[in-house]
Amino acid sequence: MQRFRPYRLNQTVRDKYAEVHLSAGDFVQPYFVVDGVGIRQELKSLAGVWHFSIDELLKELARLAKTGVDKILLFGVLDSERKDARGSQAYAPNNLVARAVAAIKRAYPQFTLITDVCLCGYTDHGHCGLTDGQNVLNAETLPLLADMAVTHARAGADIVAPSAMQDGQVAAIRAALSAADCAQTKILGYSAKYASNLYSPFREAAQSAPAFGDRRAYQMDYRNISQALPEVAADIEEGADIVMVKPAHTYLDIIQRVRTQFPQIPLAAYHTSGEYMLLKAAAQAGLCAEIPTALEILTAIKRAGADWLITYYAQTITEHL
């Protein structure tokens, strides 16, 4: 008879035989930056997450630096009156995200700074690209995403992360970065991004909900597995340095398949706003202990094959490791 219980005798023994360990270097902390000064406003849709003006974000990063988390993902949040049909503030020189990137790099050069590249938070219709009636235009959107990536790279972003799910976006951005003498800037592709019901809290936080229709015409159908690997392969062929699966906790099978098929490329997984808030709500209702459950879920995402864990829990979890 094989005996397995000796491997589980006590915490010391369990730790000795544990195969997967979380560390601060695994995590990416997302932030939402807004125009203004002295703004630190907790979001109703995302408990424990804030809108920060640039000056307040710099203060917050001082706390993050103490945890050992060294990667951040930055989203710009724009007032509605500054949005237009073409999302022009997304790629305008010295725009909100560019100013935030420059300020962060001056104050905290040790952080790896990732910026989201998508038009949804900058267009008055809330879609991820240019539109013609109810249709999102793929080819016409690509140059604008490329311009946005170049704007971020010139400000000092280490990694640009196109999340618009437009065919060919990585190739367009890679070409534009090279032409702008920013070839050293890396690309994190939102390669297998599903049309999920778990994005609602984020859309309120980023003020990026679509004004009509939805995004199922360009984000992946959650019923499908077979499209994920070709999507990832296409991003790698186009020049992505890192790929991503989103959501994470509910897509462990996709993470595992991508890891197995593409072992050579770094793999990120985005533990989304809905996954985060479902856990928050369950803990508040007394259905689970929040931090131990979060540790279990995030460990499962890493166990499935993710190298980077993008999560609103990053700072909190690393304080408990």
Side-chain angles (χ1 to χ4, degrees):
M1 180 180 66
Q2 285 187 289
R3 297 187 179 273
F4 297 100
R5 289 187 60 188
Y7 296 103
R8 307 159 191 164
L9 183 63
N10 55 47
Q11 190 63 45
T12 299
V13 172
R14 289 191 292 273
D15 287 343
K16 178 180 179 181
Y17 287 101
E19 298 171 7
V20 180
H21 298 272
L22 295 176
S23 66
D26 298 330
F27 290 101
V28 181
Q29 176 72 52
Y31 288 108
F32 298 93
V33 64
V34 298
D35 274 311
V37 178
I39 299 172
R40 178 189 170 98
Q41 183 176 5
E42 188 170 9
L43 302 172
K44 293 180 181 179
S45 65
L46 273 172
V49 180
W50 289 264
H51 280 165
F52 292 107
S53 55
I54 294 172
D55 58 314
E56 289 295 324
L57 179 55
L58 294 178
K59 296 176 186 177
E60 183 66 18
L61 291 177
R63 289 185 277 271
L64 182 69
K66 295 178 182 178
T67 69
V69 174
D70 60 357
K71 294 178 286 294
I72 65 176
L73 173 58
L74 196 61
F75 296 93
V77 182
L78 205 63
D79 294 335
S80 58
E81 59 269 20
R82 301 185 66 198
K83 298 181 180 184
D84 59 40
R86 295 184 62 83
S88 58
Q89 279 299 310
Y91 42 88
N94 201 36
N95 63 15
L96 170 61
V97 171
R99 296 196 308 275
V101 167
I104 293 167
K105 276 300 178 182
R106 285 193 299 268
Y108 301 101
Q110 71 271 31
F111 282 118
T112 296
L113 183 50
I114 309 164
T115 59
D116 181 70
V117 174
C118 189
L119 300 185
C120 62
Y122 302 86
T123 55
D124 54 13
H125 48 73
H127 276 284
C128 300
L130 297 179
T131 58
D132 180 14
Q134 299 279 313
N135 298 319
V136 176
L137 303 173
N138 196 111
E140 293 83 351
T141 296
L142 298 182
L144 304 187
L145 296 174
D147 288 346
M148 186 178 184
V150 169
T151 298
H152 294 177
R154 284 175 170 162
D158 300 291
I159 302 172
V160 293
S163 61
M165 286 299 285
Q166 302 299 302
D167 292 341
Q169 61 184 11
V170 171
I173 290 170
R174 174 55 66 205
L177 290 173
S178 296
D181 198 25
C182 296
Q184 75 283 356
T185 305
K186 297 187 182 303
I187 299 174
L188 164 57
Y190 280 65
S191 305
K193 180 180 179 181
Y194 282 83
S196 173
N197 295 294
L198 295 166
Y199 301 155
S200 295
F202 172 90
R203 288 174 181 167
E204 184 176 337
Q207 298 176 12
S208 63
F212 59 85
D214 54 43
R215 295 177 180 147
R216 288 181 292 178
Y218 43 101
Q219 295 178 357
M220 292 178 59
D221 189 328
Y222 64 77
R223 297 171 295 182
N224 292 338
I225 297 173
S226 61
Q227 295 173 12
L229 297 181
E231 287 271 10
V232 172
D235 275 6
I236 295 171
E237 291 169 7
E238 291 177 17
D241 303 282
I242 310 151
V243 296
M244 182 199 298
V245 173
K246 181 183 181 182
H249 177 201
T250 45
Y251 291 76
L252 297 179
D253 58 327
I254 307 300
I255 295 171
Q256 193 275 330
R257 286 169 186 254
V258 172
R259 175 77 293 153
T260 300
Q261 184 69 27
F262 305 102
Q264 78 283 6
I265 193 163
L267 173 60
Y270 201 138
H271 184 242
T272 61
S273 59
E275 293 169 303
Y276 169 83
M277 284 304 297
L278 285 172
L279 179 50
K280 284 276 188 184
Q284 187 174 11
L287 300 177
C288 65
E290 183 178 2
I291 297 304
T293 307
L295 282 167
E296 180 179 348
I297 290 170
L298 294 167
T299 299
I301 296 168
K302 183 175 180 179
R303 189 183 68 230
D307 300 299
W308 289 3
L309 309 176
I310 304 171
T311 174
Y312 304 96
Y313 273 117
Q315 180 170 334
T316 302
I317 287 296
T318 52
E319 291 171 346
H320 288 83
L321 291 179

